[in-house]
Amino acid sequence: MREHSYLGEFELMVLLTILHLGDEAYGVPLARELAIRRGREVAVGSVYASLDRLEIKGLIASSLGESTPERGGRAKRYFRVTDQGLQAVHETRRVLSKLWKSLPTMGEDLA
């Protein structure tokens, strides 16, 4: 696999939330679902900043939907995880799993 940028915790959560939402992955629902999963509020601005970074890295792609009167004629910007983004998610999971498995058990050094 081609070397990729390190995924930070929030970026990984955003990617996983996009995968979870599928075709309905756009700004406000992304922030709402992420807040539910994290158990605390998420600023929509931080979600959009992360989406911009992830798109620049090539880990997600976006497309505009139809404009809607409810949004003042503006279109929703939908997001999907690219193949490169999916590889980054799997690689991050693999590395984190190895790190977790390498920790001493609770009765040993961490108690």
Side-chain angles (χ1 to χ4, degrees):
M1 180 177 78
R2 189 179 111 175
E3 187 176 324
H4 61 82
S5 300
Y6 170 74
L7 285 178
E9 177 186 10
F10 193 72
E11 289 177 327
L12 178 59
M13 285 191 270
V14 168
L15 283 171
L16 292 172
T17 304
I18 292 170
L19 290 168
H20 175 75
L21 290 175
D23 292 340
E24 293 302 311
Y26 65 95
V28 173
L30 266 168
R32 189 178 315 128
E33 185 67 23
L34 196 49
I36 290 167
R37 301 285 174 177
R38 290 181 77 195
R40 65 181 198 202
E41 280 303 306
V42 174
V44 175
S46 64
V47 172
Y48 278 111
S50 184
L51 290 168
D52 287 341
R53 283 192 308 272
L54 290 167
E55 193 161 26
I56 289 167
K57 292 177 180 181
L59 303 180
I60 62 171
S62 66
S63 60
L64 290 178
E66 296 296 318
S67 59
T68 59
E70 306 87 51
R71 295 175 46 86
R74 292 187 330 243
K76 292 176 184 172
R77 188 170 159 211
Y78 291 93
F79 298 91
R80 67 172 181 79
V81 177
T82 63
D83 289 343
Q84 184 181 347
L86 200 52
Q87 286 179 337
V89 166
H90 287 294
E91 178 64 12
T92 301
R93 180 181 180 189
R94 187 188 68 75
V95 169
L96 288 173
S97 292
K98 280 177 63 174
L99 287 168
W100 276 108
K101 288 176 184 172
S102 72
L103 291 176
T105 57
M106 289 304 271
E108 295 174 16
D109 297 341
L110 292 179

